[in-house]
Amino acid sequence: MVVGELEVVPLLDAVGTLAELDQAYPDVPAEEWAPYRELYPELFAGSRWRLPVKVHVIRADGTTVLVDAGVGPPGSFSMWAGEQEGLLPAALDQLGVRRDMVDIVFLTHVHIDHIGWTTDAEADVFFPNARYLVHREALAFARSSPDRSHIRRCVEPLADRFEQLDGDAELAPGVTAFVAPGHYPGHMGLRLRSAGAEAVLLADVAPHPALLDRPEWVYAFDDTPQTTTRAELVADLADRDVLAICGHYPGTGVGRVVSRGARVVWEEAPSG
Ligand SMILES: [Zn+2]
């Protein structure tokens, strides 16, 4: 997918079933999900949330940026039922991106499904030449639980290597990280602008596309309720020619936020 002169490639690392919907969204009655089951069938497994996890390669003026780092080697994520795991290395090979060609690994936040390939199964750095960028508050929060297995494997070995962001930051020409508070301390999204084209990588502002229509729904795994962040971003994206990208959405996860009757829906963009 191109955004002006930038290239954005989503790569699937894993798919699995996460929580019961009524654990993740305790205030939402089961029947309220019905329209979204029809719109986004691949995100449901009965009463559970079926979660694709994609990472993104962005090529910008000779700089290769990896946005988030997936679930990691198979078996890394004990809290979900994985259907497919550990796909990222082969996907990078297929794209012709060797690990040593990645210049920047940018982490939107430090949840287990976003950091898995910062290191390999032995906790050795996976992208040897990359600068690892993360918001200062996200890193501090993650490191406050150093004994959690994903923090021990994926964060602690790189502790001295992380470059810490304090706020919005341009990572490469046209690629700007912005603070999107709520889901995690220091949680960040990414705005892409090039040659009149625009895209927003939502990270986990609205990790289920139903939340674009119902931004007021409280998501139990948010650090603090982020309904305001979400509502503002939806208003900013709706019915504009801006690509809305999320690694947890169906298909490529690259699409647009559009009004359909009384609903706000996410529609996958034709690839190209
Ligand atoms: Zn996530």
Side-chain angles (χ1 to χ4, degrees):
M1 190 66 68
V2 293
V3 178
E5 291 166 2
L6 308 173
E7 187 185 6
V8 184
V9 184
L11 299 176
L12 184 69
D13 180 50
V15 184
T17 47
L18 189 61
E20 293 289 332
L21 288 164
D22 64 5
Q23 291 174 327
Y25 303 92
D27 303 336
V28 179
E31 62 272 18
E32 295 268 325
W33 287 99
Y36 311 109
R37 287 177 183 275
E38 267 183 50
L39 283 164
Y40 315 113
E42 70 185 79
L43 301 183
F44 296 86
S47 60
R48 296 175 75 90
W49 182 2
R50 183 170 179 270
L51 191 78
V53 179
K54 285 171 278 250
V55 307
H56 296 88
V57 171
I58 298 174
R59 288 158 159 155
D61 198 23
T63 300
T64 299
V65 182
L66 188 78
V67 182
D68 287 330
V71 169
S76 304
F77 191 0
S78 60
M79 300 290 286
W80 82 343
E83 292 174 24
Q84 291 180 282
E85 295 184 342
L87 306 180
L88 181 64
L92 285 170
D93 279 351
Q94 203 172 12
L95 190 64
V97 175
R98 294 191 319 268
R99 295 194 227 170
D100 62 3
M101 291 163 64
V102 173
D103 300 301
I104 292 175
V105 175
F106 165 66
L107 303 178
T108 61
H109 61 295
V110 193
H111 274 154
I112 189 166
D113 56 324
H114 294 257
I115 63 171
W117 290 105
T118 56
T119 62
D120 63 15
E122 278 73 50
D124 291 322
V125 64
F126 198 72
F127 299 100
N129 296 329
R131 300 166 58 203
Y132 280 78
L133 306 183
V134 66
H135 194 284
R136 182 177 306 279
E137 290 173 17
L139 185 61
F141 182 75
R143 296 197 70 201
S144 68
S145 306
D147 295 333
R148 300 187 70 184
S149 62
H150 62 294
I151 304 300
R152 196 169 58 232
R153 180 177 69 80
C154 302
V155 175
E156 288 300 320
L158 304 177
D160 297 331
R161 185 172 176 134
F162 281 110
E163 294 176 36
Q164 301 181 43
L165 306 176
D166 287 311
D168 297 6
E170 187 171 57
L171 307 185
V175 180
T176 304
F178 63 93
V179 178
H183 182 61
Y184 195 93
H187 178 265
M188 300 187 92
L190 205 59
R191 194 174 289 275
L192 311 179
R193 279 201 180 100
S194 171
E198 191 174 341
V200 174
L201 204 142
L202 305 173
D204 280 3
V205 170
H208 196 295
L211 297 170
L212 301 170
D213 193 42
R214 306 299 296 268
E216 75 281 10
W217 281 3
V218 172
Y219 173 31
F221 306 158
D222 282 342
D223 177 54
T224 56
Q226 57 164 343
T227 52
T228 308
T229 300
R230 196 181 290 140
E232 286 173 2
L233 200 62
V234 171
D236 180 45
L237 293 172
D239 301 314
R240 289 184 54 221
D241 188 18
V242 177
L243 290 172
I245 304 171
C246 179
H248 297 316
Y249 286 5
T252 62
V254 179
R256 287 187 175 76
V257 177
V258 292
S259 306
R260 288 282 173 266
R263 252 179 236 300
V264 174
V265 306
W266 179 85
E267 285 185 352
E268 188 174 352
S271 54

